[in-house]
Amino acid sequence: MNYQVVSAHWPIGGGETGELIRQFDWTKTSLGLIKDWPSHLRIKVNSMVNSPIPQVLMWGDDHVMIYNDGYKEIAGDYHPRALGDKVSAVWPEIWEWNKTILEAGFRGEVQSFRDQVMVLNRHGSPEDVVFDLFYTPIYDETGKVDGVLCTVLENTEKVHALNALAQSQEELSRLTNALPILVGFLDRDHVYRFANDGYQEWFGLAASDVIGKHAAEVIGNAYYAARIPLLQKALSGERVITDTVIKRPDGEERTAEIRYVPRFTSKGEIDGIYVLIIDIEDRKQSENALRRSNERFRAAVAAIHGVLWTNTADGRMLGEQTAWATLTGQRFEEYQDYGWADAVHPDDREGSVASWQAAVASKSTYVWEHRVRRHDGLYRTFAIRGVPIIGSSGDIEEWVGVHTDITEQREAESNLQDHASNLERQVRHRLRAEEQLRQLNESLEARVESEIAERRQAERALQQAQKMESIGQLTGGVAHDFNNLLQVVAGNLQLLAKDIVGNAQAERRVGNALAGVSRGAKLASQLLAFGRRQALEPRVINISRFIAGMDDLLRRSLGEAVEVEVIASGGLWNTYADPTQVENALLNLAINARDAMEGSGKLTVEVGNAFLDQDYARTHVEVTPGQYVMLAVTDTGAGMAPDILDKVFEPFFSTKPEGKGTGLGLSMVYGFVKQSGGHVKIYSEVNEGTTVKVYLPRSVADEDREVVVQAGPVVGGSETVLVVEDDEAVRNTVFETLTDLGYRVLTAKDAQAGLNVVESGIPIDVIFTDVVMPGPLKSREMARRAKERLPHLAVLFTSGYTENSIVHGGILDAGVELLSKPYTREALARRIRHVIANQKQVDQATAPRAETVKPVAEVAAATPKTLTILLVEDDFLIRGNTAEMLAELGHQVIEAGTGKEALVELESNSIDVLITDIGLPDTVGGDLAVRAVAEKPDLTVVFATGESHKPDNAPPGSRLLQKPYNEMDLAAVLAGVNAGS
């Protein structure tokens, strides 16, 4: 045995295990001190510890283990205690294996094991591992085996990966084999690396026979040569899709869709292409069959002189329609959408479009006929049939239709029909003659009676039609003439009343006559209402409060035997209507209901908000959809049959006995509601009662307060009034009335004569003119031209007929003063004073301001302090002028145009004086003054008005400033206020 001196740093190198060997106490083992180890042991250990390959040396009869750093991973948790220990102690779980191996090794056998599977506990629990193991005997100089060297290569992860890969490939094969397509993969050298069973079907080769072969070997050299450009294109990164006919192993040729899809690596490089082959033979045959079917269909359409077209699911013609363009000569952009209808005859166009849209909506076959203008301008008759193509979802995918020229067919049918009609007419004449002869022979008397009854029925129908046609034309003229007649009678009766003062019997008779005039005026008003020709004075009103104020009137009118119930919905909207006409309509409906109940029953008046929608409007063409205020009157009377309901709104129709009622009540309601832009509906059942519902348009404006006109004494004047009236009796009556009131009166029989009087230069203060008069010059134009010549002229119109130049849609034009016929002496007197006062104040407001004269200054000086004045006046010219005069007098002015604005200013400002007009748009000046003084007891009130007296409810200490007034008048009344006088 050759022993040598060993360095303290032996073994040389060896990493961690080399250092452990150097530090290990080998005396505890059979090997003893390192310096005593034989040279062949030291040489092998030094070589082993510096090897990168995992190795372990098992030495001596007790198999002591020495290993290198590579073996540490193999030892796992057994390292480092395994160094210097025995194999049986370190690896008890595989000792039986190692025991057999070591016995063979010590006999000198060289052994190797590939992918040897073992179960080790190197990490505390059993695990399956796979090794490549190589066992080499180590001999001494004498040839004796002293140890066995084991080289260990762990393949566990590699084997697992290979197994997973094999499983993945197997799963991929099963998946692609389940698909009805061929799937393969070619590398860049056109060698198959994957193939499924589809190759057996298409090329007669099993998948295993394809993998590893070149493409030419699989698909044939000729076919491969044709596919090389496409393969190269795919390998350059482009997806390739082609349709190709392939002859299969059984000799059948089938069309296939071949796809080459490049595969990119994680680095973005192309390492090959996927090959997909899909059998599309059945699809190709279906496409060919469809093409042949379409060709046969086009040929059939052409054979019957038909024009084929298609439309979208919603019925619009889109895209190229060659046949239609050829027929009509329309350009592409002309027939798109519904442009095709322009080629349809104008008389047929609307019906064609409507019927087509109905068919589209109902998804039903479209059958129609119309005339179409050809490219040469001639119209031909076509039969149309359009069929919807319904998809699987039940929705229309498109429409396919054909226009078939049937012009000759229709002409032939027409000729044949004419011939048949002639024959039928001849037969009918003969049959009629025979029947007439038979009837004459059987019952001549019955035939005569029947013909007489038919004639009478025709005469009644003719009379009714003539009455309905003429009543609308006559109503306006009758009402106009009737009002003129009433005006003559009323005017003369009022003049006569002055002459018989003190004669009680005569006064009573005149009073009765005036009452008759009033009833006649009411009848004329009902005629105008039916004809929708009454002059309405609409205001924004709340019907709920309006009806509450009529409660007593309703109960007195209906009697104690009628129970009255009023139902008003909360949050009721306002409406824009004439309150007087609303009152008349409600009274008419209530009285009709009372008569229907024969004086005893229950009457229900209901008001509420209503919305008439598009569906309702479609069935009631005169209704505009929107929001309305509904007034309903319901009775418990006898009700009416349907045939009666159809006639209740006709003028002069009445269900009451003769002599009771004029038959104009419901006609008046109907005319007023229609003139107000509303709607009226009646419901009735025999023995159940009747409900009449009136719908008036909603108004979003604030409610107008009722203006109470102060009566006061009748006041005349000395101004000059020009009366223009074509009716001589009316003209004379007005002349006497105005003369009696102290005015200087001029008269003219028409507008031209009135203008001549104006142009004569005679001073005139007021023109009082009828609206409707004969002659080319209208009264409105006469008044305009007169105002141009006499700017300070006041104008008052009068009329008993409203469809004229100052009333439009039943509404009086803005800025126009109208006194409706018939009118009383008192109404005429007040209205004349009113227009004169307003005109004078407007004149003063628009006149140039003069320098303040000394008397004004002296009066203004009597006011030692500046007053805060709230000026309330609805006429902006008067308000602006008055504010300017007050400011020049040194006072602070706050302006308001309505009572509502005035109350807001009173709450937010300290006011000394309130100057207000009496007639305001939303309230009465007296009421405003009462509320103002209640809030501010120290407030002084001045009424600026054309009236000659203050309101009845004027607060104590209030002052009157009569229009027209000037700066001197203002200064004087304010000085008086300040002085407390």
Side-chain angles (χ1 to χ4, degrees):
M1 182 118 359
N2 183 16
Y3 293 96
Q4 298 179 1
V5 177
V6 179
S7 168
H9 298 289
W10 188 94
I12 306 302
E16 177 188 345
T17 53
E19 181 62 27
L20 289 175
I21 292 172
R22 288 189 289 271
Q23 300 297 328
F24 191 78
D25 184 4
W26 294 101
T27 61
K28 297 179 180 179
T29 69
S30 61
L31 272 64
L33 294 173
I34 291 178
K35 66 182 181 66
D36 298 331
W37 290 2
S39 61
H40 64 286
L41 172 60
R42 292 198 304 273
I43 290 170
K44 176 52 63 180
V45 169
N46 201 83
S47 172
M48 179 187 68
V49 297
N50 287 289
S51 173
I53 300 174
Q55 292 180 326
V56 57
L57 179 63
M58 295 165 285
W59 195 264
D61 294 336
D62 53 355
H63 311 136
V64 176
M65 295 176 61
I66 305 173
Y67 53 86
N68 62 4
D69 283 354
Y71 191 77
K72 290 189 300 180
E73 299 298 327
I74 306 299
D77 293 344
Y78 293 151
H79 172 76
R81 72 175 180 83
L83 185 68
D85 205 348
K86 299 174 182 178
V87 174
S88 59
V90 174
W91 298 106
E93 60 267 33
I94 56 172
W95 170 241
E96 293 300 324
W97 160 270
N98 281 328
K99 179 180 177 182
T100 303
I101 295 300
L102 289 172
E103 288 175 353
F106 276 95
R107 290 196 299 268
E109 295 181 14
V110 176
Q111 306 169 77
S112 64
F113 302 91
R114 296 282 186 177
D115 293 331
Q116 181 64 46
V117 178
M118 294 182 173
V119 179
L120 303 181
N121 295 328
R122 57 180 175 173
H123 295 299
S125 60
E127 63 175 305
D128 292 332
V129 294
V130 181
F131 295 123
D132 283 348
L133 301 171
F134 306 94
Y135 295 95
T136 305
I138 305 299
Y139 296 92
D140 63 6
E141 294 88 341
T142 64
K144 174 178 174 291
V145 176
D146 288 337
V148 176
L149 177 66
C150 179
T151 301
V152 184
L153 299 177
E154 184 168 359
N155 296 333
T156 303
E157 292 184 1
K158 183 187 75 173
V159 170
H160 288 171
L162 289 174
N163 289 339
L165 178 61
Q167 293 176 358
S168 175
Q169 290 176 336
E170 180 65 22
E171 181 65 24
L172 179 61
S173 295
R174 285 197 297 269
L175 175 63
T176 57
N177 289 337
L179 298 174
I181 61 176
L182 177 148
V183 181
F185 180 77
L186 286 173
D187 63 15
R188 297 194 65 87
D189 297 326
H190 300 177
V191 175
Y192 281 99
R193 299 304 177 190
F194 177 82
N196 72 343
D197 291 346
Y199 281 86
Q200 179 71 48
E201 178 182 0
W202 285 95
F203 299 104
L205 296 174
S208 58
D209 296 335
V210 173
I211 297 174
K213 288 186 177 180
H214 193 272
E217 299 179 69
V218 176
I219 65 177
N221 291 327
Y223 185 54
Y224 171 71
R227 305 300 291 183
I228 286 178
L230 301 177
L231 293 171
Q232 296 293 52
K233 186 180 294 186
L235 286 171
S236 67
E238 183 179 344
R239 294 170 65 96
V240 178
I241 302 176
T242 62
D243 290 352
T244 306
V245 177
I246 299 177
K247 187 174 184 179
R248 306 217 302 193
D250 59 1
E252 180 185 7
E253 291 186 344
R254 294 187 69 83
T255 305
E257 179 185 288
I258 302 178
R259 298 189 180 192
Y260 297 149
V261 182
R263 186 177 77 175
F264 293 87
T265 66
S266 59
K267 297 180 180 180
E269 300 173 349
I270 299 174
D271 63 352
I273 57 175
Y274 293 106
V275 178
L276 306 176
I277 297 180
I278 305 169
D279 189 343
I280 60 171
E281 178 66 24
D282 294 340
R283 189 185 77 189
K284 281 293 184 181
Q285 290 182 2
S286 298
E287 291 175 354
N288 292 335
L290 178 61
R291 186 182 65 256
R292 289 192 295 271
S293 175
N294 289 338
E295 290 173 352
R296 287 196 300 271
F297 180 69
R298 291 190 181 92
V301 170
I304 61 171
H305 304 289
V307 175
L308 182 66
W309 49 263
T310 61
N311 272 16
T312 59
D314 57 357
R316 294 178 296 123
M317 183 177 282
L318 297 180
E320 191 74 30
Q321 303 285 338
T322 306
W324 182 262
T326 303
L327 171 66
T328 63
Q330 286 185 303
R331 296 189 301 274
F332 176 85
E333 62 275 8
E334 290 177 335
Y335 60 71
Q336 293 297 297
D337 207 340
Y338 276 87
W340 56 266
D342 292 338
V344 178
H345 193 283
D347 294 343
D348 302 345
R349 190 173 301 156
E350 183 177 353
S352 298
V353 173
S355 60
W356 171 240
Q357 291 175 339
V360 171
S362 62
K363 302 181 182 179
S364 59
T365 300
Y366 179 61
V367 178
W368 195 256
E369 285 188 18
H370 59 207
R371 289 164 290 175
V372 176
R373 183 187 64 246
R374 295 193 316 189
H375 58 85
D376 57 5
L378 296 178
Y379 282 97
R380 302 280 291 181
T381 301
F382 285 83
I384 308 101
R385 185 176 181 85
V387 180
I389 306 301
I390 307 297
S392 58
S393 64
D395 295 326
I396 296 177
E397 294 181 350
E398 69 172 343
W399 287 82
V400 177
V402 62
H403 270 60
T404 304
D405 192 337
I406 58 171
T407 305
E408 286 78 10
Q409 176 184 340
R410 286 292 178 260
E411 290 176 353
E413 290 175 355
S414 178
N415 294 334
L416 182 60
Q417 186 175 7
D418 289 343
H419 181 65
S421 297
N422 290 333
L423 291 176
E424 182 182 355
R425 187 163 49 252
Q426 293 174 10
V427 172
R428 190 166 57 249
H429 287 168
R430 180 169 181 172
L431 291 175
R432 186 183 300 115
E434 293 176 353
E435 178 64 19
Q436 288 173 349
L437 181 60
R438 185 185 63 81
Q439 290 179 355
L440 182 61
N441 292 333
E442 289 180 353
S443 179
L444 179 60
E445 182 180 356
R447 188 166 66 89
V448 172
E449 290 179 355
S450 175
E451 290 187 358
I452 291 175
E454 290 179 2
R455 176 171 296 181
R456 286 177 178 173
Q457 183 177 358
E459 289 175 352
R460 285 195 297 270
L462 178 60
Q463 290 170 356
Q464 177 68 12
Q466 290 174 339
K467 181 186 74 173
M468 293 304 295
E469 180 180 359
S470 62
I471 189 65
Q473 300 174 355
L474 294 177
T475 297
V478 169
H480 179 263
D481 293 341
F482 195 31
N483 278 329
N484 277 345
L485 177 61
L486 290 174
Q487 183 59 53
V488 174
V489 174
N492 283 283
L493 285 173
Q494 289 168 352
L495 292 173
L496 180 59
K498 291 181 59 182
D499 298 335
I500 61 172
V501 174
N503 187 335
Q505 183 177 6
E507 288 180 343
R508 183 173 63 255
R509 292 175 177 171
V510 170
N512 292 337
L514 287 172
V517 170
S518 178
R519 291 182 62 188
K522 182 178 180 181
L523 178 60
S525 175
Q526 289 176 325
L527 287 171
L528 288 173
F530 159 68
R532 308 184 205 177
R533 293 176 174 85
Q534 57 184 339
L536 298 181
E537 296 182 15
R539 292 192 291 109
V540 180
I541 60 174
N542 188 288
I543 292 184
S544 178
R545 283 190 285 275
F546 189 77
I547 292 176
M550 290 180 60
D551 186 74
D552 289 341
L553 176 60
L554 282 175
R555 296 183 190 278
R556 288 196 306 269
S557 301
L558 301 178
E560 296 181 356
V562 176
E563 178 188 352
V564 179
E565 180 182 7
V566 177
I567 302 174
S569 301
L572 188 69
W573 297 328
N574 291 337
T575 185
Y576 187 65
D578 188 325
T580 301
Q581 297 303 324
V582 174
E583 178 179 335
N584 289 340
L586 179 55
L587 280 175
N588 271 301
L589 294 176
I591 291 171
N592 279 351
R594 179 200 64 190
D595 294 343
M597 296 185 292
E598 297 182 352
S600 176
K602 181 177 180 180
L603 177 75
T604 303
V605 179
E606 181 181 0
V607 288
N609 299 330
F611 181 79
L612 302 183
D613 58 16
Q614 292 283 0
D615 292 338
Y616 187 87
R618 274 195 292 271
T619 58
H620 300 78
V621 293
E622 79 283 2
V623 173
T624 300
Q627 295 175 330
Y628 291 84
V629 176
M630 185 273 296
L631 168 63
V633 177
T634 302
D635 64 60
T636 57
M640 291 177 281
D643 59 328
I644 299 298
L645 283 179
D646 294 338
K647 299 183 286 185
V648 292
F649 292 122
E650 294 180 6
F652 305 115
F653 176 81
S654 176
T655 59
K656 302 174 185 178
E658 289 189 19
K660 295 199 174 189
T662 62
L664 287 172
L666 286 178
S667 298
M668 183 277 290
V669 173
Y670 181 86
F672 155 66
V673 173
K674 293 301 179 182
Q675 189 174 353
S676 300
H679 172 60
V680 60
K681 187 71 174 177
I682 186 167
Y683 308 86
S684 186
E685 292 185 18
V686 176
N687 298 325
E688 294 294 333
T690 302
T691 296
V692 180
K693 291 186 177 182
V694 171
Y695 297 89
L696 295 173
R698 178 191 180 183
S699 172
V700 297
D702 293 335
E703 181 182 5
D704 292 335
R705 299 293 297 273
E706 184 178 1
V707 178
V708 180
V709 179
Q710 301 295 328
V714 175
V715 179
S718 59
E719 290 86 354
T720 300
V721 181
L722 172 59
V723 177
V724 185
E725 170 64 61
D726 62 308
D727 189 301
E728 183 177 1
V730 175
R731 188 168 65 245
N732 292 337
T733 301
V734 175
F735 176 84
E736 291 185 25
T737 301
L738 292 177
T739 301
D740 184 64
L741 289 170
Y743 294 102
R744 181 187 178 199
V745 184
L746 305 175
T747 62
K749 65 178 181 179
D750 55 31
Q752 185 61 55
L755 185 61
N756 292 339
V757 173
V758 172
E759 292 178 342
S760 69
I762 299 175
I764 300 173
D765 299 295
V766 184
I767 290 182
F768 180 48
T769 177
D770 194 4
V771 177
V772 180
M773 291 184 294
L777 184 62
K778 303 302 180 184
S779 59
R780 182 67 184 269
E781 177 64 14
M782 180 267 292
R784 185 189 67 79
R785 291 165 65 175
K787 288 280 287 184
E788 289 178 353
R789 291 158 177 74
L790 301 173
H792 306 299
L793 183 68
V795 179
L796 176 61
F797 291 96
T798 182
S799 180
Y801 183 75
T802 64
E803 290 300 320
N804 51 53
S805 59
I806 66 168
V807 179
H808 295 90
I811 307 300
L812 192 65
D813 290 350
V816 174
E817 297 284 352
L818 174 68
L819 180 61
S820 295
K821 294 178 181 178
Y823 47 80
T824 64
R825 175 175 177 270
E826 290 77 8
L828 176 60
R830 292 193 190 92
R831 190 57 68 90
I832 290 289
R833 294 316 308 165
H834 170 75
V835 297
I836 290 174
N838 267 8
Q839 183 61 44
K840 287 182 178 180
Q841 191 62 49
V842 170
D843 291 342
Q844 183 168 307
T846 56
R849 295 297 308 280
E851 295 294 331
T852 303
V853 296
K854 182 177 180 181
V856 175
E858 290 176 354
V859 175
T863 306
K865 68 173 184 177
T866 298
L867 298 174
T868 301
I869 301 173
L870 175 58
L871 174 62
V872 188
E873 169 63 59
D874 60 324
D875 189 301
F876 75 95
L877 286 175
I878 298 175
R879 185 172 69 248
N881 176 252
T882 304
E884 183 179 353
M885 290 189 290
L886 289 172
E888 289 190 3
L889 291 173
H891 301 299
Q892 182 180 351
V893 184
I894 300 173
E895 300 181 37
T898 64
K900 183 177 180 181
E901 295 175 5
L903 291 173
V904 172
E905 298 295 344
L906 278 168
E907 291 179 1
S908 57
N909 295 282
S910 177
I911 306 296
D912 299 313
V913 180
L914 170 65
I915 300 179
T916 179
D917 194 1
I918 293 179
L920 296 173
D922 58 346
T923 188
V924 179
D927 293 344
L928 173 64
V930 170
R931 291 188 60 179
V933 171
E935 294 182 10
K936 297 181 180 296
D938 296 333
L939 183 70
T940 300
V941 178
V942 176
F943 291 103
T945 177
E947 301 287 345
S948 60
H949 55 278
K950 294 182 291 183
D952 294 339
N953 61 342
S958 58
R959 294 288 180 175
L960 178 65
L961 177 62
Q962 194 168 5
K963 295 179 181 177
Y965 52 79
N966 54 29
E967 193 170 353
M968 174 76 75
D969 299 328
L970 277 172
V973 76
L974 292 177
V977 169
N978 190 66
S981 58

